Amino acid sequence: MKRQLLILAGLFLAACGGPARDGNAFEFEQAGLTCRVEFRTERTVRILVRPEGSPLVTRRLVVDSLPGPEVGLRCERTPHGYAFLSPKLRVEFDRERGLFTFLDAATGERLLGEQERTLRRDTVAGEPCYAVTQRFATDPTEALYGLGQYQTGVVDYKRDTVLLLQANREIVNPCLVSTRGYGLLWDNYSASEFRDGGDVFEFVSEVGDAVDYWFVYGGDPEGCIRGYRELTGAASMLPKWAFGFWQSKERYKSAEELLGVAAEYRRRRIPIDVVVQDWEYWGEKPRWNALQWDSVRYPDPQAMVRSLHERYGVRLLVSVWPGFGPETAVYRDLEAAGALFNERTWAGYKVFDAYNPTAREIFWRHFRTGMFDTGADGWWMDATEPSFREGFTQRRQEARTKSAGRTWLGPFHRYLNTYSLVWMGDLYGRLREAAPERRPLLFTRSAFAGQQRYGTAVWSGDIVASWETMKRQLAAGVNLAASGFPYWTFDTGGFYVTTNGGAYPRGLSDPAYRELYARWFQFSAFLPLFRAHGTDIPREVWRFGDEHSVWYRNQLKYIELRYRLLPLIYATAYGVACRDESFMEALGVAFPDDRAVAGADDSYLFCGSLLVHPVFEPMAEGASAQRVETLLPRHAGEWWYDLFTGEAFRGGERVVRTCGLMELPVYVRGGSIVPMGEARQSTAEGPDERLEIRIYAGADARFVLYDDAGDGYGYTRGEYARCELEWSEADAALRISDREGDYPGMAREQVLHVQLMRPGAQPLERTLRYTGQAVTCPFPTAETNPMNP
């Protein structure tokens, strides 16, 4: 009945010459254009502008077309046009100029305004379409983040240009966020570009039916990321083992070698959770990606996986590609279905049409019997741009993909950036159905908007070993995170070391490379996923030196630290999946009010509380340490604390640390609670019966401590343990709530060693037993234990 009344009201408004309303959408004609204003929530609205009568050809792949829940909306006439209002957002349309402006509904503050749009008729790949451009007038002082992962080293895209094209080392997610508290999701899948000139930015796309984008009003950049996920889907909860250490290289060549690596890690008592099997486990190139194990080198894959699980407590990820060699059964079946692209590839395989439902069914049938049923734990979906030839540059990748011709949905020109999204979405659904008790992990080199809902994690492609490349990864990672994609990592030490642009022809025999690797490894320990991988040289810890060498001890130190931080990391994973939080943040995203850190490209925030500044320069010849200067952001908690020494510094200061080969600058934000566990050999050891709870004073703090069985979906049914830790500055007390939830194997009682860090004072310590009942842990007030000014 309510919907009928809304439709009637909309028809009445239209009869009076105004926009017609249907549910949460308004539509009207203006100067030969059809304009649609479609609210999904109070804070998110779609703007769709197309020539009157022009069809919408492109299939929507990112935001579903189902109507959202009803939003309290109204439409008003204004002196110059219309205003569309939700409780949070006001969207004005100027009929004289034909442009939209977005304002805060409560304050009237202007957030963003269109400046100009063009829809130019064109014919691309034999189809009529429009080349579209949308310009916006912006604030020259704002900072802009997101858009995906790129290798430019740029953090703030103000006054910059970004090619929105998939490639080996680039990932497109056309979601932009601003320090002014708004975001834009440019809903176009073709070759596109973002350009900012200071007071104007624009999106330009080769193929479109309309100007089509979503405006998100988040209030701050973090709120915009939440709004993006409201539109495109919540991030999946990955299994706990994914957050341990991954050992990988290009490549293990037999079951015996792979099992030997797992055995050696356990013999040396180096913590590990995952071993990765890279390519050619299937045989020679004509059998590329056969979706079967080579019977000589891997005679019993099921027994191999069982041994990894039962003897060593290690999980297995296996490499799978989108192309197939001519001597494989899956190739023959796909060829018969007309579902292989004829574009040449570097290894002689043919890429399959993942847009084709029949092709996806054929892939799954072979994948299920040849791979899934062996019991492997996760899937490394490599080269999902998809890779043809010359995929290391965006323009060449674009040309080769377009040359492949038509997909089942239409020309690649129209769907250029979405191959990985479509394939992973289908595979994720099949994995969920085939093993409903397991959380899928799809580790892929490409992604697009919305793919975070499909159990997807990504890495930054086949990068080369150099100090400059390592530093560029920081900008790549934080901007991918700012675009709403949470799970990311890289090839620690660079994929190429001695070849293809790698700067170290002597490989591991070169101390200069071992120094680079040591610093890169430290950086890697503070990423969502912690992974060693690359070609040219082996990557196991002991390959860098014996257990007494600094190279070995450095890796062991940061692996062990990673496992001690698991309570923080896994609770953050829960926050990512259930509260739309982020693992990594650019400092300008986390602290938008501090303009001094807007473009910071040398440090980032991890798990909401740890400022990590990787060492990005080599030591001088003959030196034993490197000087690192860090600008600490200003924030409400005022203080930053050295994670390792407890020394406190004020926000806004530039802090200098002299870092030996095993030292990394990490600072904890004042007003934080950081839980740490005991040393362990894998994530499967647990649950945590003893925890160290560190309180970093400076402001009130809150942390949701979370744990569950580590896999499966029992957590959605209350099978978890969750409690809130709240620190009150005024009361100098830590309050722990009643435990919520229950899961098999949960620690019923925990010993909590609580440490209070204050500037200029020794840590204060308390120990208590937590049995699931609310408890308060008091400390002396700041007056009785004063802070330094």
Side-chain angles (χ1 to χ4, degrees):
M1 183 65 179
K2 185 177 180 181
R3 181 173 175 81
Q4 291 174 332
L5 290 174
L6 287 172
I7 293 172
L8 289 172
L11 292 173
F12 175 78
L13 187 60
C16 297
R21 180 175 181 179
D22 181 8
N24 290 338
F26 300 88
E27 198 164 287
F28 57 94
E29 308 297 327
Q30 172 69 26
L33 297 173
T34 299
C35 301
R36 182 177 177 84
V37 181
E38 177 186 332
F39 284 83
R40 180 56 62 99
T41 70
E42 295 179 345
R43 297 177 179 271
T44 56
V45 61
R46 180 192 189 196
I47 302 298
L48 179 72
V49 180
R50 60 191 168 105
E52 189 175 346
S54 178
L56 295 175
V57 176
T58 304
R59 184 83 61 88
R60 292 182 75 181
L61 301 175
V62 174
V63 183
D64 65 53
S65 56
L66 299 174
E70 289 185 1
V71 178
L73 302 175
R74 68 181 191 275
C75 176
E76 298 177 351
R77 289 187 179 275
T78 69
H80 301 289
Y82 312 116
F84 308 93
L85 293 99
S86 78
K88 303 294 184 184
L89 186 60
R90 178 184 178 94
V91 182
E92 293 184 352
F93 181 77
D94 187 324
R95 295 192 65 183
E96 295 177 7
R97 302 173 63 225
L99 301 174
F100 289 95
T101 301
F102 305 91
L103 306 98
D104 183 300
T107 67
E109 177 188 5
R110 183 181 184 276
L111 303 168
L112 183 70
E114 293 184 340
Q115 188 186 71
E116 182 185 6
R117 82 172 64 85
T118 60
L119 293 109
R120 178 176 55 82
R121 289 184 183 274
D122 202 354
T123 300
V124 176
E127 287 190 350
C129 64
Y130 292 91
V132 299
T133 299
Q134 180 64 65
R135 295 186 178 91
F136 298 88
T138 70
D139 184 339
T141 67
E142 70 188 324
L144 301 171
Y145 307 95
L147 299 178
Q149 168 204 281
Y150 305 95
Q151 295 294 328
T152 61
V154 175
V155 171
D156 175 8
Y157 288 129
K158 200 67 181 170
R159 298 173 179 82
D160 200 31
T161 297
V162 181
L163 282 178
L164 302 176
L165 298 171
Q166 308 283 18
N168 182 300
R169 300 163 182 161
E170 283 79 24
I171 296 173
V172 178
N173 189 0
C175 173
L176 182 77
V177 300
S178 165
T179 49
R180 285 184 56 77
Y182 69 82
L184 277 179
L185 175 60
W186 181 247
D187 204 356
N188 186 288
Y189 316 144
S190 71
S192 301
E193 193 167 348
F194 168 83
R195 308 173 187 137
D196 185 273
D199 55 0
V200 174
F201 69 71
E202 65 182 8
F203 285 92
V204 180
S205 290
E206 179 187 36
V207 178
D209 310 314
V211 166
D212 191 355
Y213 65 89
W214 291 87
F215 182 88
V216 178
Y217 184 29
D220 57 30
E222 292 175 341
C224 295
I225 294 169
R226 288 191 292 272
Y228 158 83
R229 295 208 196 127
E230 282 183 326
L231 284 174
T232 64
S236 300
M237 182 75 166
L238 298 187
K240 184 186 284 190
W241 53 260
F243 301 104
F245 176 62
W246 299 18
Q247 176 59 60
S248 180
K249 74 170 186 177
E250 192 280 304
R251 54 192 162 82
Y252 298 117
K253 298 183 180 181
S254 69
E256 182 181 16
E257 182 184 8
L258 189 146
L259 289 170
V261 168
E264 187 64 9
Y265 268 92
R266 289 292 178 239
R267 187 187 73 79
R268 291 173 178 265
R269 296 195 57 77
I270 302 173
I272 188 172
D273 266 85
V274 179
V275 172
V276 181
Q277 175 63 62
D278 203 348
W279 60 359
E280 292 196 349
Y281 58 87
W282 48 71
E284 301 302 318
K285 282 185 170 58
R287 289 188 50 77
W288 189 272
N289 197 39
L291 301 180
Q292 293 179 343
W293 297 81
D294 177 72
S295 61
V296 175
R297 293 178 295 117
Y298 301 87
D300 191 341
Q302 287 94 340
M304 178 186 72
V305 175
R306 281 198 306 272
S307 186
L308 283 172
H309 290 173
E310 296 170 8
R311 292 188 64 186
Y312 306 117
V314 169
R315 305 285 182 159
L316 178 67
L317 251 70
V318 184
S319 170
V320 177
W321 287 60
F324 307 92
E327 294 183 7
T328 65
V330 61
Y331 178 101
R332 291 190 291 272
D333 288 351
L334 287 165
E335 185 177 45
L340 291 171
F341 298 116
N342 285 322
E343 178 64 25
R344 286 172 49 211
T345 58
W346 66 275
Y349 58 83
K350 284 190 176 182
V351 172
F352 89 116
D353 184 357
Y355 297 91
N356 184 330
T358 300
R360 296 195 300 261
E361 183 63 41
I362 291 169
F363 168 83
W364 172 252
R365 187 170 69 248
H366 288 272
F367 174 85
R368 169 109 198 213
T369 58
M371 303 303 301
F372 178 82
D373 287 348
T374 65
D377 302 281
W379 308 101
W380 179 3
M381 312 304 294
D382 207 346
T384 52
E385 299 83 31
S387 174
F388 294 103
R389 292 171 290 156
E390 301 178 307
F392 286 99
T393 65
Q394 291 172 286
R395 288 301 186 189
R396 288 180 179 176
Q397 170 70 32
E398 174 194 8
R400 298 303 181 193
T401 306
K402 288 177 175 178
S403 179
R406 292 186 65 86
T407 75
W408 184 82
L409 284 182
F412 252 127
H413 294 67
R414 186 178 290 274
Y415 296 100
L416 183 71
N417 287 320
T418 59
Y419 185 93
S420 183
L421 171 69
V422 171
W423 187 20
M424 295 309 103
D426 180 81
L427 182 55
Y428 177 80
R430 294 177 189 272
L431 290 169
R432 285 291 308 268
E433 184 177 359
E437 76 287 356
R438 292 163 57 186
R439 303 174 197 167
L441 172 58
L442 298 172
F443 186 54
T444 174
R445 198 170 71 190
S446 186
F448 193 70
Q451 200 167 322
Q452 75 281 345
R453 63 185 182 253
Y454 297 136
T456 301
V458 296
W459 85 102
S460 62
D462 296 342
I463 53 179
V464 301
S466 73
W467 289 93
E468 179 184 11
T469 299
M470 177 173 64
K471 186 174 183 182
R472 287 180 176 180
Q473 301 318 295
L474 191 154
V478 297
N479 272 313
L480 185 67
S483 68
F485 211 97
Y487 300 119
W488 178 85
T489 189
F490 46 52
D491 290 350
T492 302
F495 182 73
Y496 295 112
V497 178
T498 65
T499 60
N500 292 314
Y504 300 91
R506 292 166 53 205
L508 282 180
S509 64
D510 188 345
Y513 177 69
R514 293 201 298 272
E515 181 186 353
L516 171 67
Y517 192 89
R519 298 304 193 186
W520 211 321
F521 199 86
Q522 294 166 1
F523 183 4
S524 186
F526 291 88
L527 297 182
L529 304 178
F530 184 14
R531 166 178 174 264
H533 180 71
T535 191
D536 298 334
I537 63 167
R539 302 297 169 115
E540 297 83 13
V541 173
W542 53 90
R543 307 291 189 179
F544 292 78
D546 64 33
E547 57 263 37
H548 302 294
S549 71
V550 68
W551 318 110
Y552 184 106
R553 290 185 291 113
N554 176 71
Q555 292 185 59
L556 181 60
K557 172 183 175 177
Y558 285 92
I559 293 174
E560 290 179 341
L561 177 60
R562 172 75 176 202
Y563 280 83
R564 288 208 62 207
L565 287 170
L566 272 174
L568 172 68
I569 292 167
Y570 197 57
T572 301
Y574 177 76
V576 165
C578 298
R579 296 191 299 274
D580 296 314
E581 295 176 357
S582 298
F583 270 106
M584 297 180 69
E585 293 178 278
L587 297 187
V589 169
F591 306 98
D593 295 331
D594 188 348
R595 290 290 304 159
V597 299
D601 62 358
D602 57 6
S603 40
Y604 62 99
L605 198 67
F606 182 62
C607 291
S609 56
L610 306 181
L611 188 153
V612 182
H613 188 150
V615 181
F616 286 128
E617 294 182 359
M619 298 181 298
E621 186 174 353
S624 60
Q626 175 62 39
R627 181 180 183 275
V628 180
E629 182 178 300
T630 306
L631 175 60
L632 301 174
R634 300 179 188 276
H635 66 104
E638 184 177 2
W639 298 96
W640 291 92
Y641 299 79
D642 187 300
L643 175 67
F644 301 101
T645 69
E647 186 178 1
F649 308 91
R650 290 186 187 275
E653 286 187 41
R654 290 187 175 273
V655 177
V656 175
R657 275 206 62 186
T658 302
C659 297
L661 272 170
M662 294 177 61
E663 295 175 309
L664 171 71
V666 180
Y667 302 96
V668 188
R669 174 161 56 175
S672 295
I673 299 172
V674 175
M676 299 181 71
E678 295 184 292
R680 57 179 62 201
Q681 288 294 296
S682 78
T683 60
E685 289 185 12
D688 290 301
E689 295 182 344
R690 302 182 68 88
L691 285 174
E692 182 178 314
I693 307 295
R694 296 187 183 182
I695 304 165
Y696 292 89
D700 292 347
R702 179 178 176 271
F703 186 86
V704 178
L705 188 62
Y706 175 87
D707 204 358
D708 61 25
D711 207 346
Y713 292 89
Y715 76 93
T716 66
R717 302 184 295 272
E719 295 179 13
Y720 56 76
R722 182 172 64 195
C723 65
E724 293 187 8
L725 281 61
E726 293 188 349
W727 167 252
S728 168
E729 281 282 298
D731 299 336
L734 174 69
R735 295 181 176 87
I736 306 175
S737 72
D738 289 333
R739 182 189 292 134
E740 176 187 335
D742 195 329
Y743 69 92
M746 180 182 75
R748 302 288 169 181
E749 182 176 297
Q750 293 173 297
V751 176
L752 305 183
H753 181 64
V754 184
Q755 289 187 316
L756 173 62
M757 310 293 182
R758 284 177 169 148
Q762 291 297 313
L764 299 177
E765 301 183 2
R766 298 284 188 273
T767 299
L768 58 92
R769 291 188 178 275
Y770 179 64
T771 61
Q773 304 300 311
V775 64
T776 298
C777 181
F779 285 90
T781 62
E783 287 73 22
T784 58
N785 185 34
M787 297 183 182
N788 284 347

